Amino acid sequence: MTPREIRYSNTRHLGLTVWMFDEVPSTNDLAARFALDPARIGTVFVAANQTHGRGQYGRIWQARPGSSLLLSVLLAPPIKLRRPVILTAWAAVAIAEAISELAGVEARIKWPNDLLIGGKKVSGILIEQGAGVVVGLGLNLNQTVEEFAEAELRDATSLGIANGSNIDPALALGTVVRHLDDGYTRLLAGEHRDLESRWKRRSGLLGQSVRIELNDGSARVGRLRDMSFDGVEIETGEFAIDAIRPESIRGMTANRLA
Ligand code: BTN
């Protein structure tokens, strides 16, 4: 399992080394194995195929070999950045901005870790914290509508479908890594507010009726007045981020959860 190594010279914190594999069980698992090696911090691990790709909440992440960008970055952020809401927002905004550049379409962030184009999932993020922080992402590049239908993934889409032409995987990798690096550099410089406003705008939920599930099992419904890395405010109250269950803020349209 010897990787092909490439290096980007235009990034500051991540992607200075990129290890590319034909096949691994999971790029997240691979990155985590290097968490105690300071020389590997900032390394991007890429695979054309994963045999045991993992999603959130123990789900499986499957993609036809070569169809998607599958990568993980190993980081050692300062403690103040080791908050799931900040790390997920950073990755989601970076992917959305890369999508805009690659395919000329605007992706929406579906709370907390999915990116949607036209309501269909194009990317998912899996952040795992142990000795280091591993940020994994899958971005659908060149799957077709027929392929998703056959796999019974009718709620999925790819950049190729959105853009109407094939996306070059090497270009996609370079673009995503550059946007991740830009955002991370700004976060390290303490520029949270800029990221927060990009994240808010991409969520598309401000002013919408939303349903929020809280850790105590209760749920609240109301128009979303504001959201930040600290909490959300709806008509009926304010809730700290830590009091909200993961995957539990949803827009409601005509009684249907969006
Ligand atoms: C989700 O939507 O549930 C998150 C999916 C994350 C998938 C990526 S693919 C690269 C990295 N390696 C993994 O095993 N998972 C993440």
Side-chain angles (χ1 to χ4, degrees):
M1 198 175 65
T2 312
R4 193 158 63 83
E5 181 172 302
I6 61 170
R7 289 166 180 272
Y8 293 116
S9 54
N10 58 348
T11 57
R12 284 145 289 190
H13 299 284
L14 54 105
L16 294 168
T17 307
V18 180
W19 280 359
M20 304 181 70
F21 298 83
D22 291 335
E23 185 173 281
V24 297
S26 153
T27 55
N28 264 38
D29 291 348
L30 186 61
R33 283 186 9 211
F34 292 91
L36 295 177
D37 179 354
R40 290 277 68 83
I41 301 302
T43 298
V44 177
F45 300 81
V46 186
N49 190 36
Q50 296 183 126
T51 53
H52 294 82
R54 293 183 293 105
Q56 290 273 331
Y57 314 112
R59 291 180 204 135
I60 294 169
W61 181 269
Q62 274 178 322
R64 171 174 57 80
S67 66
S68 309
L69 183 62
L70 307 169
L71 70 79
S72 303
V73 189
L74 177 63
L75 293 173
I79 292 293
K80 64 177 183 227
L81 296 185
R82 289 187 188 226
R83 292 179 55 204
V85 65
I86 294 183
L87 292 171
T88 313
W90 154 66
V93 167
I95 299 167
E97 291 179 353
I99 288 174
S100 175
E101 196 175 315
L102 288 163
V105 290
E106 297 309 317
R108 183 170 88 70
I109 299 169
K110 180 174 171 242
W111 181 285
N113 67 308
D114 290 345
L115 284 123
L116 309 182
I117 295 175
K120 296 189 171 192
K121 179 160 170 170
V122 71
S123 178
I125 300 161
L126 178 63
I127 297 182
E128 297 177 305
Q129 301 205 42
V133 171
V134 175
V135 180
L137 66 94
L139 172 61
N140 298 334
L141 298 180
N142 289 314
Q143 294 96 328
T144 61
V145 173
E146 295 73 26
E147 186 177 343
F148 282 131
E150 252 171 54
E152 298 191 357
L153 292 170
R154 287 175 203 281
D155 288 336
T157 192
S158 68
L159 291 196
I161 295 170
N163 173 263
S165 64
N166 267 6
I167 303 293
D168 174 10
L171 179 65
L173 170 63
T175 308
V176 168
V177 168
R178 176 163 43 80
H179 281 279
L180 285 170
D181 184 65
D182 276 355
Y184 194 64
T185 302
R186 280 193 248 139
L187 273 182
L188 288 177
E191 296 171 30
H192 293 66
R193 294 296 162 224
D194 177 55
L195 172 65
E196 205 172 56
S197 61
R198 290 169 195 234
W199 169 72
K200 265 186 347 191
R201 188 173 59 76
R202 293 266 181 199
S203 85
L205 290 176
L206 280 184
Q208 306 282 315
S209 281
V210 295
R211 181 174 193 274
I212 299 177
E213 286 165 26
L214 302 176
N215 286 333
D216 66 8
S218 65
R220 308 294 158 85
V221 173
R223 209 164 285 280
L224 185 68
R225 284 201 181 128
D226 202 5
M227 58 195 276
S228 75
F229 292 153
D230 298 319
V232 299
E233 181 188 344
I234 61 174
E235 288 162 322
T236 46
E238 288 181 28
F239 306 96
I241 285 289
D242 295 342
I244 299 171
R245 285 176 46 190
E247 270 210 342
S248 75
I249 302 185
R250 309 222 176 114
M252 297 175 68
T253 42
N255 294 330
R256 236 182 104 242
L257 295 181

